[in-house]
Amino acid sequence: MLLTDIAVEHTMTPLKGGPRVTVALHPFTNTQRDSLGKFEIVRGVSEPGGKEVRRSTFVSFQQLAELYAKGVLDEFGFSVRMCAAGGKYPATTPIKKVLPSNIQPRSQFDLAVQVVDVSKPASRELRTALLRTSVKL
Protein backbone atom coordinates (compact mmCIF):
# COMPACT_ATOMS: atom_id res chain seq x y z
CA MET A 1 0.00 0.00 0.00
CA LEU A 2 1.30 3.47 -0.87
CA LEU A 3 0.90 6.29 1.61
CA THR A 4 -0.11 8.92 -0.95
CA ASP A 5 -0.57 11.54 1.81
CA ILE A 6 3.20 12.02 1.51
CA ALA A 7 4.72 12.80 -1.88
CA VAL A 8 8.36 13.61 -2.64
CA GLU A 9 9.58 14.47 -6.13
CA HIS A 10 12.52 12.46 -7.47
CA THR A 11 14.36 12.84 -10.75
CA MET A 12 15.61 9.62 -12.32
CA THR A 13 18.65 9.86 -14.57
CA PRO A 14 19.05 6.93 -16.97
CA LEU A 15 22.47 5.25 -16.80
CA LYS A 16 22.87 5.19 -20.58
CA GLY A 17 21.79 8.77 -21.19
CA GLY A 18 18.39 9.84 -22.36
CA PRO A 19 15.85 12.18 -20.86
CA ARG A 20 15.54 12.62 -17.11
CA VAL A 21 12.19 11.72 -15.66
CA THR A 22 10.67 13.30 -12.55
CA VAL A 23 8.27 11.10 -10.57
CA ALA A 24 6.38 11.44 -7.32
CA LEU A 25 7.52 8.95 -4.69
CA HIS A 26 5.46 7.77 -1.72
CA PRO A 27 6.25 5.69 1.37
CA PHE A 28 5.08 2.13 0.91
CA THR A 29 4.28 -0.72 3.26
CA ASN A 30 6.37 -3.84 3.26
CA THR A 31 4.92 -7.19 2.22
CA GLN A 32 7.33 -9.44 4.11
CA ARG A 33 6.39 -11.48 7.22
CA ASP A 34 7.29 -9.53 10.37
CA SER A 35 7.19 -6.13 8.71
CA LEU A 36 3.93 -6.71 6.82
CA GLY A 37 2.05 -3.42 6.49
CA LYS A 38 4.84 -1.33 8.02
CA PHE A 39 6.98 1.49 6.62
CA GLU A 40 10.78 1.31 6.53
CA ILE A 41 12.74 4.17 8.07
CA VAL A 42 16.50 4.36 7.46
CA ARG A 43 19.31 6.15 9.28
CA GLY A 44 23.06 6.44 8.67
CA VAL A 45 25.11 5.37 11.71
CA SER A 46 28.86 5.65 12.31
CA GLU A 47 30.34 2.42 13.58
CA PRO A 48 33.64 1.99 15.41
CA GLY A 49 36.49 2.53 12.99
CA GLY A 50 34.66 5.39 11.26
CA LYS A 51 32.63 3.19 8.93
CA GLU A 52 29.25 4.66 7.94
CA VAL A 53 26.45 2.09 7.66
CA ARG A 54 22.70 2.32 7.18
CA ARG A 55 20.39 0.89 9.80
CA SER A 56 16.68 0.49 9.22
CA THR A 57 13.59 -0.55 11.09
CA PHE A 58 9.91 -0.88 10.31
CA VAL A 59 7.16 1.19 11.92
CA SER A 60 3.37 1.27 11.64
CA PHE A 61 1.36 4.17 10.26
CA GLN A 62 0.61 5.46 13.77
CA GLN A 63 4.24 5.09 14.87
CA LEU A 64 5.42 6.98 11.78
CA ALA A 65 2.99 9.79 12.62
CA GLU A 66 4.25 9.81 16.23
CA LEU A 67 7.89 9.97 15.14
CA TYR A 68 7.10 12.83 12.79
CA ALA A 69 5.06 14.74 15.42
CA LYS A 70 7.84 14.40 18.02
CA GLY A 71 10.51 15.52 15.55
CA VAL A 72 12.44 12.24 15.84
CA LEU A 73 12.75 11.75 12.07
CA ASP A 74 14.44 15.12 11.66
CA GLU A 75 16.44 15.07 14.92
CA PHE A 76 18.13 11.75 14.19
CA GLY A 77 18.36 12.11 10.39
CA PHE A 78 15.87 9.42 9.39
CA SER A 79 14.72 8.97 5.82
CA VAL A 80 11.77 6.91 4.59
CA ARG A 81 11.94 4.19 1.92
CA MET A 82 9.91 5.39 -1.06
CA CYS A 83 8.34 3.92 -4.19
CA ALA A 84 6.82 5.40 -7.35
CA ALA A 85 3.09 5.11 -7.92
CA GLY A 86 2.32 1.80 -9.56
CA GLY A 87 5.12 0.18 -7.56
CA LYS A 88 7.53 0.31 -10.47
CA TYR A 89 11.00 1.65 -9.89
CA PRO A 90 14.19 0.59 -11.62
CA ALA A 91 16.83 -1.13 -9.47
CA THR A 92 16.46 -0.11 -5.82
CA THR A 93 13.84 1.99 -4.10
CA PRO A 94 15.29 5.30 -2.90
CA ILE A 95 15.15 6.76 0.59
CA LYS A 96 14.04 10.36 1.05
CA LYS A 97 13.64 12.84 3.89
CA VAL A 98 10.03 13.81 4.65
CA LEU A 99 9.62 17.57 5.01
CA PRO A 100 6.43 19.31 6.20
CA SER A 101 5.85 20.52 2.64
CA ASN A 102 5.74 16.88 1.46
CA ILE A 103 2.67 16.10 3.59
CA GLN A 104 -0.71 16.87 2.09
CA PRO A 105 -2.60 19.27 4.42
CA ARG A 106 -5.70 17.80 6.13
CA SER A 107 -4.83 14.31 4.87
CA GLN A 108 -5.22 11.20 7.00
CA PHE A 109 -1.50 11.27 7.87
CA ASP A 110 -1.55 14.99 8.69
CA LEU A 111 -4.51 14.45 11.03
CA ALA A 112 -2.74 11.48 12.66
CA VAL A 113 0.32 13.71 13.30
CA GLN A 114 -1.85 16.44 14.83
CA VAL A 115 -3.56 14.14 17.37
CA VAL A 116 -0.28 12.73 18.74
CA ASP A 117 0.27 13.67 22.39
CA VAL A 118 3.95 14.62 22.30
CA SER A 119 4.10 14.75 26.12
CA LYS A 120 3.56 10.97 26.39
CA PRO A 121 6.59 8.70 26.12
CA ALA A 122 6.93 6.40 23.13
CA SER A 123 5.52 2.89 23.43
CA ARG A 124 7.83 0.01 24.29
CA GLU A 125 7.32 -1.47 20.82
CA LEU A 126 8.43 1.78 19.17
CA ARG A 127 11.43 2.21 21.47
CA THR A 128 12.49 -1.38 20.71
CA ALA A 129 12.20 -0.77 16.95
CA LEU A 130 14.32 2.38 17.22
CA LEU A 131 17.07 0.55 19.13
CA ARG A 132 17.83 -1.29 15.87
CA THR A 133 18.91 2.09 14.49
CA SER A 134 20.94 3.06 17.58
CA VAL A 135 18.32 5.58 18.80
CA LYS A 136 17.16 5.66 22.40
CA LEU A 137 13.99 7.58 23.27
Side-chain angles (χ1 to χ4, degrees), residues 47-51:
E47 289 202 333
K51 185 177 180 184

Side-chain angles (χ1 to χ4, degrees), residues 70-128:
K70 291 183 176 183
V72 174
L73 294 177
D74 188 42
E75 180 182 350
F76 292 100
F78 279 102
S79 298
V80 181
R81 181 79 57 194
M82 307 293 251
C83 183
K88 301 292 182 202
Y89 195 86
T92 61
T93 52
I95 56 173
K96 296 283 187 177
K97 300 253 185 236
V98 176
L99 304 173
S101 60
N102 300 130
I103 299 173
Q104 186 177 21
R106 294 180 298 285
S107 64
Q108 184 180 2
F109 184 76
D110 188 40
L111 296 174
V113 169
Q114 292 176 20
V115 299
V116 171
D117 184 357
V118 294
S119 64
K120 287 186 177 179
S123 68
R124 186 170 68 112
E125 180 183 4
L126 181 55
R127 288 192 316 265
T128 302

Side-chain angles (χ1 to χ4, degrees), residues 4 17 19 24 27 38 52 67 78 86 90-91 94 96 99 108 120 133 137:
T4 55
K38 293 187 175 187
E52 183 79 16
L67 291 172
F78 279 102
K96 296 283 187 177
L99 304 173
Q108 184 180 2
K120 287 186 177 179
T133 63
L137 286 184

Side-chain angles (χ1 to χ4, degrees), residues 1-136:
M1 170 187 109
L2 286 177
L3 178 57
T4 55
D5 296 350
I6 299 173
V8 178
E9 281 192 3
H10 178 71
T11 302
M12 297 187 300
T13 306
L15 294 175
K16 297 181 180 181
R20 299 194 307 150
V21 179
T22 300
V23 295
L25 299 178
H26 309 282
F28 65 98
T29 55
N30 201 342
T31 58
Q32 303 297 315
R33 296 179 217 137
D34 295 342
S35 56
L36 179 66
K38 293 187 175 187
F39 301 95
E40 183 180 13
I41 58 174
V42 182
R43 175 176 185 254
V45 178
S46 294
E47 289 202 333
K51 185 177 180 184
E52 183 79 16
V53 295
R54 286 189 176 164
R55 300 265 187 235
S56 70
T57 192
F58 293 90
V59 294
S60 68
F61 176 86
Q62 195 59 41
Q63 290 170 335
L64 184 62
E66 181 178 349
L67 291 172
Y68 190 81
K70 291 183 176 183
V72 174
L73 294 177
D74 188 42
E75 180 182 350
F76 292 100
F78 279 102
S79 298
V80 181
R81 181 79 57 194
M82 307 293 251
C83 183
K88 301 292 182 202
Y89 195 86
T92 61
T93 52
I95 56 173
K96 296 283 187 177
K97 300 253 185 236
V98 176
L99 304 173
S101 60
N102 300 130
I103 299 173
Q104 186 177 21
R106 294 180 298 285
S107 64
Q108 184 180 2
F109 184 76
D110 188 40
L111 296 174
V113 169
Q114 292 176 20
V115 299
V116 171
D117 184 357
V118 294
S119 64
K120 287 186 177 179
S123 68
R124 186 170 68 112
E125 180 183 4
L126 181 55
R127 288 192 316 265
T128 302
L130 290 177
L131 282 177
R132 297 185 69 196
T133 63
S134 303
V135 171
K136 292 184 183 180

